[in-house]
Amino acid sequence: MIAPVLGTPDAKDIHSFAQPQVARVTHVALDLAADFKAKRIGGTATLDIQAAPGAREVVLDNKGLAIARVTDQQGQDLPYTEGDADPVLGSPLTVSLNGAKRIVITYQSAPEAAALQWLSPEQTAGKKYPFLFSQGQAILNRTWIPTQDSPGIRQTWEARIVVPQPLRAVMSGEDLTPKGEEAKGGRAYRFRMNQPVAPYLIAIAVGDLAFRDLGPRSGVYAEPATIDAAAREFGDTERMITAAEELYGPYRWGRYDMIVLPPSFPFGGMENPRLTFLTPTLLAGDKSLVDTVAHELAHSWSGNLVTNATWSDFWLNEGFTTYFTSRIMEKLYGKEATDRQIALGWDDLQSTMKDEGGPASPKTVLHINLEGVDPDEGMTDIAYEKGAALLRTLEQAVGRERWDAYLRSYFDRHAFQPMTAQLFLADLRKNLLKGDVALEQKLRLDDWVYKPGIPANVAPPPAQAFAAVDQATKAYAAGGAVSAVPFANWSTSERLRFINALPRKLPAERLAELDRSFRLSASTNSEVLFAWLKLAIENRYDPAVPALERFLGSMGRRKFVAPLFDALVAQGEWGRPIATRIYGKTRPLYHSVTSGTVDKALAKT
Ligand code: BES
Ligand code: ZN
């Protein structure tokens, strides 16, 4: 199956050098070996090329790869050039085709390849073996795979990966050799993905891995030290898949497995097809953070099946997924719990609106202009929460039944294809609005997608979700006793709402009694601990610094790490020295995605 590439101007990807209308990659075959000593992965990438009549060359994306040679299938050298390097995009690798339909690139990744993190044994849970994982989104895979690294150019792929014994390789495709095969220099693992995917979704992890079945088509990988906790935490996965299918149609990827990575994994989760990557900070012990699994699973439709053609329409991936997640959560855990999560999302939308410059700021537009911007910096929670708010607004306007039927048909119509905002709006008008002028006027779709701020017709968030919590918070803020706060009885969402709604300035005694009563500094729930530490920093509360230091040294999830360093830096002469001291120790633990963001925060004066 060869997926089309859109030729319209709104589908042009400014973050790739590829010229897919001239020549495009349709299939990638990797034959690579991982060298943990040199921190390089290398070998050959064989690319199938579909070229327009008369096309003489193909342009690929490359960032820091050491290219040894490029040949055709017969081993004849093909001339190639590497263009000037852009600090964000890398450089174009232009190969003369000389009529070839298949080209072979012999190469190695650089030790500092941004997609890859090579972990020493000390950085793993087991402390015995090294570990390697990749993170492709948004434009990082060009640091280890020489292909057209654009989400609108879908490619099938296969891979053979040689790793040292006793490590195991897993990838975001069908696992052809679960036990591996004998190979020179270690064991070889083979994979294949026969459905065309956006290249940012090719992912690998190599380590000392155990596996547990969770259901007939789901399971979890983790280091042996973590596997029991992981299997317990994610025990609802099979039910989530079924719930998602009931909502929006069949799960089309065969198996749904997950891997819990070592703590430096920079995201909560990453929706790599057939193999979601997860942070161990989700292992709260009580399933209270499994909405992230529902979120990554939902991407199997919104994102992996129907994919943003460019990073300007990242909201089509994340906004749809945030909405879809709440629908899965509602089916599994009920409306009340889900309403609380939607309400927290709404709070996040309000604070992100402020942080991004307010309702007139261009950064609050859904279809964002990323000209000259590293997509990694330009992609914010606006895409998630404003996007989800639009979908809730659509649901409310036409009713759940009609909306669900539409959304299901949208995934069917566009399965395995790229999507743009413009194309989505056209599809919506054709298949949902169907010329209803009153509905069109009521919805203000173009304002939602192309203008900043939140249109006034937004579906209101659930109003009563936190009534009891807010009452208790108010009483406490007015000087009430800490013993009157029923923190122990609350869910994680309620605890988060409480901490985040507390007055931002509190006297040290009040902070001490909160910490003592609710054991906040010792919380094993990463979200609760994070919310508490932020409050503590804002109050220059010294007794929380050891817990802060422990947390920042224990994981590398950017969503936690970057805001905590930001908060420290904002506390000037109190916070900056603490930030510098801690970062000096923890920086080597982090993936480039996280250290890149924190480096920038600390460079600000
Ligand atoms: N695809 C994203 C992660 C991502 C976004 C990677 C942008 C690179 C660039 C993933 O699905 C995601 O949104 N993860 C969230 C969890 C979610 C529950 C909001 C995260 O990592 O926190
Ligand atoms: Zn997501």
Side-chain angles (χ1 to χ4, degrees):
M1 174 174 18
I2 293 181
V5 174
L6 299 173
T8 51
D10 61 317
K12 166 141 183 53
D13 181 4
I14 59 171
H15 297 110
S16 167
F17 293 105
Q19 296 170 17
Q21 309 305 330
V22 177
R24 63 167 289 200
V25 175
T26 58
H27 182 79
V28 180
L30 301 172
D31 191 350
L32 304 174
D35 181 342
F36 282 82
K37 276 198 200 79
K39 300 192 174 180
R40 290 180 190 272
I41 192 162
T44 58
T46 302
L47 309 181
D48 289 1
I49 310 292
Q50 194 181 56
R56 300 159 65 111
E57 46 191 41
V58 62
V59 185
L60 309 172
D61 292 298
N62 160 26
K63 194 170 180 189
L65 299 172
I67 313 275
R69 63 189 297 220
V70 183
T71 69
D72 65 14
Q73 221 182 334
Q74 285 72 43
Q76 293 290 325
D77 276 302
L78 294 173
Y80 66 91
T81 58
E82 292 180 56
D84 290 341
D86 174 280
V88 175
L89 305 180
S91 53
L93 172 63
T94 305
V95 178
S96 295
L97 290 170
N98 291 353
K101 292 195 160 60
R102 183 170 277 175
I103 64 174
V104 183
I105 302 164
T106 305
Y107 74 102
Q108 279 193 321
S109 64
E112 59 278 3
L116 305 178
Q117 192 178 13
W118 300 86
L119 301 174
S120 66
E122 300 73 54
Q123 289 172 280
T124 65
K127 317 274 178 221
K128 277 215 323 249
Y129 300 102
F131 202 104
L132 163 68
F133 68 82
S134 71
Q135 165 59 38
Q137 198 181 12
I139 57 169
L140 304 181
N141 265 352
R142 61 192 66 178
T143 66
W144 75 286
I145 306 174
T147 188
Q148 293 179 319
D149 189 13
S150 172
I153 309 176
R154 304 180 83 94
Q155 298 150 41
T156 52
W157 62 269
E158 65 195 287
R160 177 177 176 272
I161 309 284
V162 177
V163 303
Q165 262 169 336
L167 305 186
R168 175 171 183 183
V170 291
M171 287 189 81
S172 54
E174 190 184 342
D175 190 346
L176 301 174
T177 52
K179 302 222 171 307
E181 300 167 337
E182 240 180 79
K184 199 171 131 250
R187 279 189 93 64
Y189 293 85
R190 290 185 291 110
F191 308 89
R192 105 181 137 205
M193 172 52 77
N194 285 338
Q195 292 149 304
V197 294
Y200 71 88
L201 293 171
I202 305 176
I204 187 171
V206 180
D208 177 23
L209 294 175
F211 175 77
R212 250 336 140 63
D213 266 318
L214 295 173
R217 54 177 165 172
S218 57
V220 62
Y221 297 88
E223 290 186 67
T226 316
I227 193 74
D228 285 333
R232 252 179 281 126
E233 202 80 29
F234 304 132
D236 292 345
T237 303
E238 194 68 36
R239 285 174 56 216
M240 287 183 177
I241 305 171
T242 308
E245 288 187 310
E246 283 165 12
L247 285 164
Y248 299 125
Y251 177 76
R252 301 184 199 226
W253 302 91
R255 291 193 57 85
Y256 181 77
D257 293 319
M258 296 165 282
I259 177 170
V260 177
L261 291 146
S264 66
F265 185 62
F267 293 103
M270 177 64 214
E271 65 271 25
N272 298 314
R274 295 178 64 105
L275 185 62
T276 281
F277 282 26
L278 296 172
T279 168
T281 64
L282 300 181
L283 302 174
D286 59 1
K287 301 185 177 176
S288 62
L289 304 177
V290 296
D291 58 308
T292 298
V293 172
H295 176 103
E296 305 315 334
L297 170 66
H299 274 306
S300 304
W301 288 257
S302 43
N304 297 357
L305 201 56
V306 184
T307 311
N308 53 217
T310 76
W311 299 113
S312 286
D313 282 323
F314 178 61
W315 74 277
L316 292 171
N317 280 14
E318 298 300 343
F320 276 57
T321 294
T322 301
Y323 172 82
F324 193 164
T325 303
S326 63
R327 297 296 306 278
I328 297 171
M329 296 302 283
E330 185 179 323
K331 271 184 172 272
L332 261 75
Y333 306 109
K335 184 158 160 43
E336 275 183 31
T338 306
D339 276 356
R340 288 195 286 265
Q341 286 188 332
I342 294 173
L344 284 182
W346 179 263
D347 290 348
D348 182 35
L349 177 56
Q350 302 309 315
S351 55
T352 307
M353 274 285 162
K354 267 205 213 100
D355 296 347
E356 297 299 331
S361 161
K363 290 184 180 161
T364 68
V365 174
L366 281 179
H367 176 78
I368 33 175
N369 179 359
L370 291 174
E371 201 78 54
V373 179
D374 183 344
D376 204 48
E377 302 291 313
M379 292 161 21
T380 70
D381 278 4
I382 293 288
Y384 293 74
E385 296 299 339
K386 184 178 170 184
L390 167 57
L391 267 57
R392 281 194 297 109
T393 303
L394 288 165
E395 181 200 321
Q396 198 195 47
V398 300
R400 184 167 273 195
E401 202 179 326
R402 200 171 139 200
W403 167 246
D404 282 352
Y406 167 74
L407 198 48
R408 187 182 174 130
S409 73
Y410 164 86
F411 289 128
D412 281 342
R413 270 191 299 283
H414 302 286
F416 300 105
Q417 290 177 40
M419 180 57 57
T420 65
Q422 215 177 302
L423 195 56
F424 164 60
L425 291 183
D427 187 273
L428 192 68
R429 289 187 164 111
K430 177 160 177 241
N431 298 294
L432 184 69
L433 274 58
K434 297 181 174 161
D436 182 336
V437 179
L439 185 56
E440 172 78 48
Q441 274 173 357
K442 177 173 158 190
L443 286 174
R444 303 174 55 184
L445 294 171
D446 294 312
D447 290 356
W448 270 99
V449 174
Y450 299 111
K451 293 210 171 137
I454 305 164
N457 68 347
V458 62
Q464 292 309 307
F466 290 118
V469 179
D470 290 348
Q471 211 172 1
T473 314
K474 228 163 114 190
Y476 182 75
V482 73
S483 57
V485 179
F487 193 84
N489 304 334
W490 281 339
S491 66
T492 294
S493 306
E494 291 171 308
R495 292 173 181 187
L496 292 173
R497 170 79 167 208
F498 171 72
I499 299 171
N500 290 332
L502 284 169
R504 296 329 282 169
K505 289 287 173 225
L506 284 168
E509 315 82 73
R510 289 292 252 179
L511 292 164
E513 82 183 5
L514 287 169
D515 197 5
R516 205 178 334 109
S517 309
F518 310 140
R519 306 198 38 77
L520 296 172
S521 289
S523 177
T524 50
N525 185 300
S526 55
E527 295 281 354
V528 170
L529 181 59
F530 170 70
W532 157 246
L533 291 172
K534 246 187 342 180
L535 178 68
I537 293 169
E538 286 170 36
N539 286 282
R540 305 190 174 191
Y541 183 63
D542 286 305
V545 173
L548 171 68
E549 186 162 358
R550 238 178 294 127
F551 189 47
L552 289 171
S554 73
M555 53 85 227
R557 186 174 172 187
R558 182 171 67 177
K559 178 182 132 177
F560 294 148
V561 172
L564 289 172
F565 279 109
D566 279 344
L568 282 170
V569 170
Q571 292 305 320
E573 88 270 21
W574 180 82
R576 187 176 277 273
I578 300 174
T580 315
R581 181 175 61 76
I582 295 179
Y583 196 47
K585 292 191 214 163
T586 61
R587 188 180 187 281
L589 308 176
Y590 301 148
H591 185 275
S592 73
V593 155
T594 298
S595 55
T597 304
V598 178
D599 285 351
K600 277 180 205 136
L602 290 188
K604 275 187 214 136
T605 45

